[in-house]
């Protein structure tokens, strides 16, 4: 199965994509995680992407597509994978259609107000990329999965979140129509607790 998780920043794509990956035994391809890794390693690609990411803009299609093609060519993607944060533009979606056949697109539905609220409390693990919310962390400051000290992502600053939302509406939201036309879109409401949303995601993938 090749599955896309679509939705604005902060909609829970990463969290729900990872759960489905664990259940299905297929890898999660997060272009955001891949880009942050390239930055950490100070590769030429990472250096090229850094300014755009920090400002909340998309990095150029050509760069993301090159990176994704390389990852998809690895043997663990042969039987399927979950795309998290890709495609984000119509050009990326068209390119992806020439590489694999997409089976289903899960669209996580959330209001801009709810996003702003979630991003304010988001903390992430710089080592394993797990994501948390301060409301559920209590006084814990380290990652439950690997013990690393959690951080606030630079691009989760409120001004940058606004920029990312504007980018989402202008460049990524049109993909809802793109995949609806192909009959692949299943929209899921993100209202309520994580478990309730996870159950709806499972239902959408049946
Ligand atoms: P979120 O889903 O919370 O916005 P991501 O980790 O998916 O965060 O992405 C972080 C940043 O990485 C984006 O704001 C963008 O700059 C860059 N990025 C990630 N995926 C893509 C993509 N497919 N195309 C262009 N830029 C991307």
């Amino acid at each position: 199965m090749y599955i896309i998780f679509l939705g604005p920043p902060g909609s829970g794509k990463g969290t729900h994509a990872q759960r489905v990956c664990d259940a299905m035994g297929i890898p999660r391809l997060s272009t955001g995680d891949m880009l942050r890794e390239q930055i950490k390693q100070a590769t030429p690609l990472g250096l090229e992407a850094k300014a755009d990411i920090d400002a909340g803009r998309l990095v150029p299609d050509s760069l993301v597509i090159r990176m994704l093609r390389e990852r998809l060519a690895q043997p663990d993607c042969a039987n399927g994978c979950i795309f998290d944060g890709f495609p984000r533009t119509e050009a990326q979606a068209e390119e992806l259609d020439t590489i694999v056949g997409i089976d289903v697109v899960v669209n996580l539905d959330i209001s801009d107000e709810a996003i702003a609220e979630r991003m304010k409390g988001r903390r992430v693990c710089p080592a394993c990329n797990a994501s948390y919310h301060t409301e559920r962390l209590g006084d814990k400051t380290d990652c439950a999965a690997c013990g690393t000290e959690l951080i606030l992502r630079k691009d989760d600053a409120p001004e940058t979140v606004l920029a990312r939302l504007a980018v989402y509406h202008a460049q990524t939201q049109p993909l809802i129509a793109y995949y609806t036309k192909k009959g692949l879109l299943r929209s899921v409401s993100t209202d309520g607790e994580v478990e309730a949303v996870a159950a709806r995601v499972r239902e959408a993938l049946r």
Side-chain angles (χ1 to χ4, degrees):
M1 283 269 262
Y2 290 94
I3 304 168
I4 293 172
F5 270 72
L6 198 63
S11 56
K13 290 190 301 288
T15 302
H16 293 291
Q18 190 56 50
R19 285 175 173 235
V20 175
C21 285
D22 293 344
M24 295 179 106
I26 53 177
R28 174 169 74 100
L29 272 52
S30 158
T31 43
D33 286 352
M34 289 183 212
L35 289 166
R36 279 184 291 277
E37 187 57 31
Q38 298 276 341
I39 292 174
K40 210 169 10 172
Q41 312 261 335
T43 64
L45 195 151
L47 293 175
E48 206 183 321
K50 186 171 186 330
D52 284 334
I53 293 185
D54 286 349
R57 293 185 298 263
L58 295 185
V59 307
D61 285 336
S62 57
L63 191 156
V64 185
I65 288 167
R66 185 165 21 112
M67 191 178 69
L68 188 94
R69 269 188 179 279
E70 269 176 33
R71 179 65 187 86
L72 260 181
Q74 317 247 313
D76 62 333
C77 298
N79 296 320
C81 71
I82 297 199
F83 298 100
D84 166 10
F86 183 94
R88 258 180 160 91
T89 64
E90 255 187 70
Q92 291 178 15
E94 284 164 5
E95 185 78 20
L96 186 58
D97 281 338
T98 70
I99 315 175
V100 294
I102 297 299
D103 295 289
V104 47
V105 179
V106 177
N107 177 46
L108 296 178
D109 235 349
I110 182 169
S111 69
D112 284 7
E113 293 71 34
I115 290 168
E117 208 39 57
R118 285 196 190 182
M119 304 292 260
K120 258 196 285 182
R122 177 150 86 169
R123 295 293 180 274
V124 296
C125 173
C128 75
N129 300 309
S131 150
Y132 301 88
H133 196 280
T134 45
E135 249 172 42
R136 276 177 235 107
L137 276 169
D139 51 12
K140 282 200 66 167
T141 58
D142 59 350
C143 177
C146 73
T148 309
E149 190 74 12
L150 300 176
I151 59 162
L152 181 64
R153 240 168 66 182
K154 195 171 173 187
D155 61 343
D156 280 350
E159 325 74 81
T160 315
V161 168
L162 285 181
R164 286 161 64 201
L165 271 178
V167 166
Y168 167 79
H169 288 304
Q171 292 178 262
T172 309
Q173 203 169 9
L175 294 181
I176 293 177
Y178 181 93
Y179 288 115
T180 300
K181 241 180 256 161
K182 291 182 182 284
L184 296 177
L185 197 89
R186 316 240 173 106
S187 273
V188 169
S189 158
T190 57
D191 285 343
E193 288 300 312
V194 181
E195 287 309 327
V197 181
R200 272 177 236 135
V201 169
R202 282 196 298 274
E203 197 55 39
L205 288 173
R206 255 174 223 266

